[in-house]
Amino acid sequence: YCQALREMRCEMARMANSTNTTGFMDSTGQGQVLAEQSVMDTWQGQYSAHVNYIKDCFGYSVGASNLMSDRKARIKVNYKVSKEYVVKEGQEKEGICLAIEYIGTMEGKSSTKCHQHPHFRQTSCPAQCPETDSLEGCQR
């Protein structure tokens, strides 16, 4: 998991420096977070607040895909940018927090407030979003 997080952060930094992806959508008109059924069952059960955050604050759809292989998840920012990763059993929270971090970075929303879910990133995903003085947004 730590290696995947390092690779994803490196990729996010590289892409943020080379391409502005903000405002782009995939062919469905919105970003998507897809996961293999067992991962999605856990996310929609234990981590439903995280799922709702992704939907409400980023406007992404979230759902299971029978095309995903065992324990995989995919974040589709737009038709060009997507990230697939493995969500290990017992690390489902880290997996969905990783999706929140990735989307926030790629959409340029890491430092913006989400009025529907105030302080959510800092309290629910502190490893991916260190607490700021205002408790809003994420600083890297």
Side-chain angles (χ1 to χ4, degrees):
Y1 174 77
C2 292
Q3 178 65 26
L5 182 58
R6 280 191 295 277
E7 289 173 7
M8 191 175 289
R9 285 184 177 152
C10 184
E11 177 186 348
M12 289 186 300
R14 187 184 79 250
M15 293 180 79
N17 289 332
S18 65
T19 306
N20 179 5
T21 60
T22 304
F24 287 93
M25 300 294 176
D26 69 9
S27 61
T28 65
Q30 64 183 20
Q32 296 178 316
V33 177
L34 302 170
E36 180 265 332
Q37 188 67 56
S38 67
V39 172
M40 189 54 63
D41 288 346
T42 302
W43 284 356
Q44 290 178 331
Q46 286 182 271
Y47 303 105
S48 60
H50 294 71
V51 169
N52 289 332
Y53 182 88
I54 291 169
K55 291 177 179 179
D56 296 343
C57 300
F58 298 127
Y60 276 49
S61 64
V62 180
S65 171
N66 58 1
L67 302 176
M68 300 296 298
S69 58
D70 193 34
R71 309 292 307 167
K72 292 249 178 134
R74 179 181 300 129
I75 307 161
K76 292 176 67 179
V77 177
N78 61 50
Y79 66 94
K80 289 183 181 178
V81 179
S82 68
K83 178 65 179 175
E84 190 170 297
Y85 59 103
V86 174
V87 179
K88 293 182 180 175
E89 193 165 347
Q91 294 186 342
E92 290 86 356
K93 180 179 179 183
E94 291 84 352
I96 198 157
C97 285
L98 190 62
I100 290 170
E101 178 185 15
Y102 187 81
I103 296 165
T105 300
M106 298 308 293
E107 292 282 355
K109 295 181 180 178
S110 284
S111 61
T112 60
K113 293 180 183 182
C114 176
H115 298 289
Q116 298 100 314
H117 302 270
H119 317 300
F120 183 84
R121 283 181 281 189
Q122 294 77 20
T123 57
S124 297
C125 298
Q128 286 80 17
C129 184
E131 196 172 283
T132 60
D133 290 340
S134 69
L135 293 177
E136 297 292 349
C138 300
Q139 292 182 343
R140 289 269 171 226

